[in-house]
Amino acid sequence: MKNYVLGLALAALATPALASGNHAGGHGEKMAVGEPGEKAKATQTIRVTMKETDDGKMLFTPAVFNVRKGQTVKIAIKNAGTVDHEFVLDQEDKILEHKKVMEKFPEMEHADPNSIRLPAGQSGEIVWKFTTDGEFKFACLIPGHYEAGMHGDVSVAGK
């Protein structure tokens, strides 16, 4: 019932983030940041840690990474914090649209290949093929986390 109500609420919003294919429904569209990759084709592993600091900041380490267009990367993510965090990879405008939806529905669960939500102490991974050069973002979109500093940059260089 909860998923049904959430689905109705999301449909009622009809925000561009939903129509763009990087959130519930419409996953068939190609994303500018790339596409899910095959683990066997990964040429690099980037280890990302998510955590909070004693002074109230929330962050990713590293907060910036560089890859090449066409490269498949395994992003190994560890939540070293004490609360849930997520890693969402996308274009900056899509990240900000998604953030607005998350503010309205903070318990929303993701099943997107470009994102993962991890409880404290847990690890996971995203395998991603970067198909377009340019500047992209990753962020934790749990309400308040982005504002606490939990976002970073991905630079994709042409071949």
Side-chain angles (χ1 to χ4, degrees), residues 33-38 41 70-73 127-132:
V33 70
E35 61 194 35
E38 295 178 42
K41 293 184 179 180
Q71 184 178 15
T72 299
V73 174
V127 179
W128 200 256
K129 182 176 181 182
F130 292 90
T131 58
T132 307

Side-chain angles (χ1 to χ4, degrees), residues 54-130:
D54 291 338
D55 60 357
K57 292 182 180 148
M58 295 183 175
L59 38 97
F60 291 102
T61 304
V64 176
F65 55 87
N66 302 299
V67 297
R68 294 179 318 279
K69 179 180 176 182
Q71 184 178 15
T72 299
V73 174
K74 179 173 93 170
I75 306 169
I77 305 160
K78 167 113 177 118
N79 182 351
T82 60
V83 298
D84 284 9
H85 290 297
E86 64 180 16
F87 180 100
V88 180
L89 174 68
D90 211 336
Q91 294 168 260
E92 184 172 18
D93 61 334
K94 302 298 182 195
I95 290 278
L96 295 176
E97 288 173 3
H98 187 156
K99 181 179 168 295
K100 288 179 186 175
V101 174
M102 287 291 294
E103 288 167 355
K104 293 179 182 172
F105 302 101
E107 296 304 317
M108 181 181 296
E109 293 186 19
H110 302 90
D112 303 315
N114 65 314
S115 66
I116 189 169
R117 186 171 181 149
L118 295 168
Q122 298 295 306
S123 297
E125 66 183 35
I126 293 174
V127 179
W128 200 256
K129 182 176 181 182
F130 292 90

Side-chain angles (χ1 to χ4, degrees), residues 144-156:
H145 294 209
Y146 187 95
E147 293 80 5
M150 206 158 198
H151 50 88
D153 300 303
V154 179
S155 182
V156 183

Side-chain angles (χ1 to χ4, degrees), residues 43-65:
T43 59
Q44 180 181 2
T45 298
I46 298 172
R47 298 189 187 289
V48 176
T49 302
M50 306 184 290
K51 65 181 179 180
E52 315 85 50
T53 62
D54 291 338
D55 60 357
K57 292 182 180 148
M58 295 183 175
L59 38 97
F60 291 102
T61 304
V64 176
F65 55 87

